[in-house]
Amino acid sequence: MNTYKELKELSKTRKRKLSNNTYLVVRDDGGFGIRLHDTEVVIHYKDKIVLDSGGWYTVTTKARMNEYAPHTIYQRNFNWFVDNGIPFKDKMILEVA
């Protein structure tokens, strides 16, 4: 489930818990958030995706981003990167192809 369309379909059901401490959030601005604890680590819009660790650079945060975003987030020398070496930053906006 890493596309806007898939999350939109899921939002029509009663199933909002996705995994441990992770929930689907229907946002007022038309987006769909993937909330881990109190942070929406991935927000899907029709034309973009927002990634935000909330300052929690943990294995679980990275795992949820990888599971629910169509991008690869990885760590090298204690720094996070997206896809092919783009440095990760909180509230990072990635265009949907």
Side-chain angles (χ1 to χ4, degrees):
M1 261 182 304
N2 58 11
T3 67
Y4 179 86
K5 185 178 178 182
E6 290 171 334
L7 293 173
K8 185 176 182 177
E9 288 301 313
L10 182 62
S11 73
K12 295 175 184 176
T13 70
R14 294 183 57 109
K15 182 182 178 195
R16 298 289 172 93
K17 184 171 184 173
L18 302 173
S19 56
N20 239 6
N21 301 310
T22 307
Y23 296 86
L24 174 63
V25 177
V26 178
R27 298 172 49 92
D28 292 336
D29 61 5
F32 296 100
I34 304 300
R35 189 184 74 215
L36 174 62
H37 295 287
D38 292 326
T39 304
E40 289 182 29
V41 295
V42 180
I43 303 171
H44 284 264
Y45 295 98
K46 289 182 182 180
D47 60 343
K48 65 185 175 187
I49 293 172
V50 180
L51 300 176
D52 183 13
S53 74
W56 298 96
Y57 291 88
T58 67
V59 172
T60 305
T61 301
K62 189 168 25 115
R64 294 304 185 269
M65 288 180 176
N66 280 317
E67 186 173 356
Y68 296 104
H71 297 279
T72 302
I73 294 85
Y74 63 96
Q75 182 175 337
R76 186 174 8 149
N77 296 328
F78 304 102
N79 296 309
W80 283 17
F81 297 92
V82 178
D83 293 333
N84 294 323
I86 302 167
F88 174 85
K89 61 181 180 179
D90 281 333
K91 302 203 187 299
M92 168 176 230
I93 298 172
L94 301 168
E95 301 299 318
V96 174

